[in-house]
Amino acid sequence: MFNKRTKIKDLLSWTPDGQEVTVMGWVRSFRNNQFIALNDGSTNQNLQVFAELGKFDDQLLKRFTTSASLKIQGHLVASLGKGQVMELKADHIEVLGDSDGEAYPLQPKKHSLEFLREIAHLRFRTNTFSSVFRIRHSLAFAVHQFFNDKGFVYLHTPIITASDAEGAGEMFRVTTLPFDNPPRNEDGTVNFTEDFFGKSTNLTVSGQLEGELGATALGEIYTFGPTFRAENSNTSRHLAEFWMIEPEMAFFDLEDNMNLAEEFIHYLISYVMKNNPQDLEFLSQRLTEEEKQLPQDKRSEMTLLEKLAFVNDNVFERITYTEAVDILLNSPAYKKKKFQYEVKWGIDLQSEHERYLVEKHFKKPVIVTNYPKDIKAFYMRQNDDGKTVAAMDILAPGIGEIVGGSQREERMDKLVERMEQMHVPADELWWYLDTRRFGTVPHAGFGLGFERMVQFVTGMTNIRDVIAFPRAPKQAEF
RNA sequence: UCCUCAGUAGCUCAGCUGGUUAGAGCAUCUGACUGUUAAUCAGAGGGUCACUGGUUCAAGUCCAGUCUGAGGAGCCA
């Protein structure tokens, strides 16, 4: 057996007492021909390896270049130096893989995130990205923990789908037809009956409709999978391929839905605060350092750690859409004509409006409910006022909409009526309507953009820095 | 897709109202030093100034187009 290593994260919690250990990792720096800062990815902290002068061959020492991989046997001893409590006094060092110093692009210094994005295959070797991806993992694990503890069933909804019913965005076509010469109908349109699935298919834009099928039998389900949008969005908040969590619950109304979403977000934040304190500490300092370059008024009022603690300790503000519009209309910003877009009942709230509510007015996450029905999807439950639907969006500071959800329309006649008005083809969604035909129940659900959650927790400002291999317009490298 | 800004060494940047051979720090390489902490000291190598075209005696610098990136907007999660 090759791997008898001790992980550096574990080892650093020991009391050094001459224990014999084997560690493996990558060289972060090699100082003074004696001191190797070794990182193995288990933690941001490096282990100092002491290679005593004269003990190792000069030709071997020359190979301890940045990012060379080493296997080191030695004894764990108290460090004589000031920067660390312990160090590994090396007895035997083996180079597992050399790293050409001239060609290796990462230096022991600060790099711009833009540059690291160009070498996304190597960026995991930096402190920032290793922290981000350990936290991303923790969040993913916490998602399953949360729902499992509540008795939800993890439902795998399809990635290839034939329905374009939700209209959540432009879709990526999935086909095996030759694109330069596809079979055609008499009227010239492409004949998809000859395609692999016998019909036109796409990558999913949402698992919600299928999720409702699960919820109306299993009671409470959640999905957690990739989602694809072919929108030409070039922003720091959008990806063409992203991960979404979509719980769907039978016997839930809008308020139950909001309570669950809020509890969920609190749970995710607490989980990371408890399990990744060092990574959060590092990212918090990084962000503070980064913001020192900004003018005073653009800097955050709180550090990342303070912000997370604050969000966790406070309940989210809950207001109706109508109240939100009133707040905007009575705001100093509105009176000073600071808003670029018009504010009046019936509009969809613009980024600048959401930002004002969350960052200026309430200074914490806000849940906005009961939107006008005309700006929301067909499946949302119509309220008795005839004007609004039982929708709710959770808006978070810095990233905007993090959750979008609603109580679903369970009344067959109302649902069909709404589909007709919005030109949603009922015949294609016959399977969806069957849930309303056979024992319909009040139910609700929401979608949470996983990367936006990771952004919120890590403080990373560009969404491309919280997913390992970002997919965006003109970007599919690695 | 729209608006704004940017693209000079491996990285981060300087390069003035156009004017001789394009600079610095870090990184890399060579040597020295040896309890270092992004080690230090000395030296060396490293450039199609994003690309294409134009203006000019002369373009890294001015103009046009293209490409790429960033920030913001729209769409949304």
Side-chain angles (χ1 to χ4, degrees):
Chain A
M1 189 174 77
F2 178 74
N3 194 341
K4 281 170 72 177
R5 72 175 173 130
T6 304
K7 289 193 183 182
I8 289 172
K9 186 185 180 184
D10 299 330
L11 188 146
L12 288 174
S13 68
W14 299 358
T15 305
D17 191 23
Q19 300 98 321
E20 183 170 345
V21 288
T22 300
V23 296
M24 300 180 208
W26 295 268
V27 175
R28 281 287 172 84
S29 74
F30 182 41
R31 290 185 293 268
N32 224 349
N33 253 353
Q34 296 174 86
F35 302 98
I36 305 167
L38 194 77
N39 188 283
D40 72 355
S42 60
T43 166
N44 263 356
Q45 289 179 279
N46 299 326
L47 176 69
Q48 169 151 295
V49 176
F50 175 48
E52 206 174 350
L53 278 179
K55 190 164 182 176
F56 299 93
D57 185 67
D58 270 1
Q59 287 310 306
L60 183 67
L61 295 180
K62 279 195 190 303
R63 295 169 66 196
F64 300 166
T65 54
T66 307
S67 219
S69 55
L70 305 180
K71 175 181 181 179
I72 300 161
Q73 278 174 278
H75 292 83
L76 199 62
V77 297
S79 177
L80 297 176
K82 288 200 177 97
Q84 57 284 315
V85 176
M86 68 185 79
E87 65 193 22
L88 185 68
K89 195 174 178 193
D91 295 321
H92 181 76
I93 304 178
E94 180 187 344
V95 178
L96 297 175
D98 289 291
S99 175
D100 180 357
E102 227 158 326
Y104 186 66
L106 289 170
Q107 307 157 27
K109 73 163 205 174
K110 198 170 145 51
H111 289 288
S112 68
L113 294 173
E114 291 82 17
F115 171 65
L116 292 172
R117 226 168 276 151
E118 290 170 19
I119 50 166
H121 59 308
L122 295 174
R123 65 181 175 168
F124 306 106
R125 300 185 183 204
T126 65
N127 285 333
T128 299
F129 283 94
S130 57
S131 281
V132 165
F133 286 102
R134 277 190 296 266
I135 288 174
R136 185 182 163 111
H137 160 78
S138 278
L139 281 168
F141 189 80
V143 166
H144 290 297
Q145 187 79 261
F146 177 82
F147 287 118
N148 183 64
D149 287 351
K150 287 189 172 300
F152 280 54
V153 172
Y154 179 27
L155 185 72
H156 293 102
T157 50
I159 287 169
I160 298 173
T161 166
S163 74
D164 180 22
E166 203 197 342
E170 290 294 309
M171 306 181 96
F172 288 101
R173 165 118 37 216
V174 176
T175 181
T176 54
L177 294 176
F179 68 90
D180 49 346
N181 185 26
R184 296 194 183 272
N185 298 311
E186 283 178 15
D187 62 1
T189 57
V190 175
N191 179 7
F192 285 106
T193 61
E194 289 190 29
D195 202 352
F196 185 89
F197 294 104
K199 54 170 72 172
S200 161
T201 50
N202 301 288
L203 294 177
T204 183
V205 292
S206 162
Q208 184 202 311
L209 300 186
E210 289 91 348
E212 287 186 49
L213 306 182
T216 52
L218 296 160
E220 293 164 337
I221 65 96
Y222 70 105
T223 73
F224 185 5
T227 306
F228 308 88
R229 307 263 169 103
E231 301 287 346
N232 190 11
S233 291
N234 293 288
T235 81
S236 52
R237 306 183 304 283
H238 291 88
L239 290 163
E241 177 181 304
F242 64 100
W243 289 66
M244 191 151 63
I245 297 141
E246 295 179 292
E248 197 69 36
M249 299 75 64
F251 319 114
F252 262 54
D253 67 10
L254 187 66
E255 194 184 343
D256 299 321
N257 201 22
M258 283 191 274
N259 291 344
L260 182 74
E262 184 168 346
E263 187 189 345
F264 180 46
I265 291 173
H266 279 148
Y267 182 89
L268 294 179
I269 293 171
S270 330
Y271 188 91
V272 172
M273 287 175 76
K274 190 173 158 210
N275 289 283
N276 300 73
Q278 285 177 348
D279 291 320
L280 280 182
E281 176 69 33
F282 175 82
L283 291 171
S284 187
Q285 280 175 14
R286 195 199 79 87
L287 196 64
T288 304
E289 204 61 35
E290 196 89 339
E291 288 189 348
K292 280 184 184 163
Q293 294 168 15
L294 297 174
Q296 200 97 44
D297 59 320
K298 292 256 175 91
R299 293 181 205 166
S300 311
E301 290 173 26
M302 290 183 250
T303 67
L304 177 63
L305 283 170
E306 287 165 349
K307 183 186 82 174
L308 294 175
F310 177 81
V311 169
N312 231 13
D313 295 342
N314 285 278
V315 294
F316 295 178
E317 197 67 38
R318 297 185 185 191
I319 57 170
T320 65
Y321 168 87
T322 305
E323 287 164 346
V325 170
D326 283 345
I327 289 170
L328 291 170
L329 286 173
N330 289 310
S331 67
Y334 180 78
K335 286 170 183 158
K336 287 184 196 157
K337 298 192 189 324
K338 287 267 180 68
F339 293 132
Q340 194 188 336
Y341 288 86
E342 193 187 9
V343 180
K344 67 171 187 189
W345 201 97
I347 56 141
D348 205 353
L349 298 178
Q350 303 292 321
S351 290
E352 58 176 355
H353 304 142
E354 296 180 350
R355 280 203 133 118
Y356 180 84
L357 290 170
V358 170
E359 290 163 23
K360 291 277 190 314
H361 191 84
F362 290 113
K363 299 190 183 215
K364 60 176 169 177
V366 177
I367 311 182
V368 182
T369 59
N370 298 310
Y371 282 79
K373 65 179 181 183
D374 291 332
I375 57 172
K376 288 293 183 181
F378 74 92
Y379 49 73
M380 297 190 179
R381 192 177 196 279
Q382 293 184 59
N383 290 324
D384 294 339
D385 61 12
K387 295 190 299 186
T388 59
V389 288
M392 63 108 178
D393 284 358
I394 301 183
L395 311 176
I399 46 181
E401 187 181 337
I402 190 168
V403 163
S406 68
Q407 185 173 341
R408 316 306 188 192
E409 181 59 81
E410 83 281 12
R411 298 161 296 188
M412 180 66 118
D413 53 337
K414 296 264 186 194
L415 181 59
V416 171
E417 178 191 298
R418 201 71 194 120
M419 288 170 79
E420 275 170 22
Q421 287 169 359
M422 299 179 81
H423 309 291
V424 178
D427 53 336
E428 276 183 34
L429 288 179
W430 61 273
W431 46 272
Y432 181 70
L433 292 172
D434 269 3
T435 56
R436 274 65 168 176
R437 280 177 72 197
F438 306 121
T440 192
V441 289
H443 63 291
F446 63 86
L448 177 132
F450 186 58
E451 280 75 19
R452 289 195 181 167
M453 191 66 211
V454 182
Q455 271 190 282
F456 185 76
V457 173
T458 59
M460 300 300 283
T461 50
N462 193 313
I463 200 167
R464 295 169 198 203
D465 295 331
V466 299
I467 187 166
F469 305 103
R471 295 291 177 263
K474 303 272 189 300
Q475 194 172 33
E477 191 72 47
F478 310 113

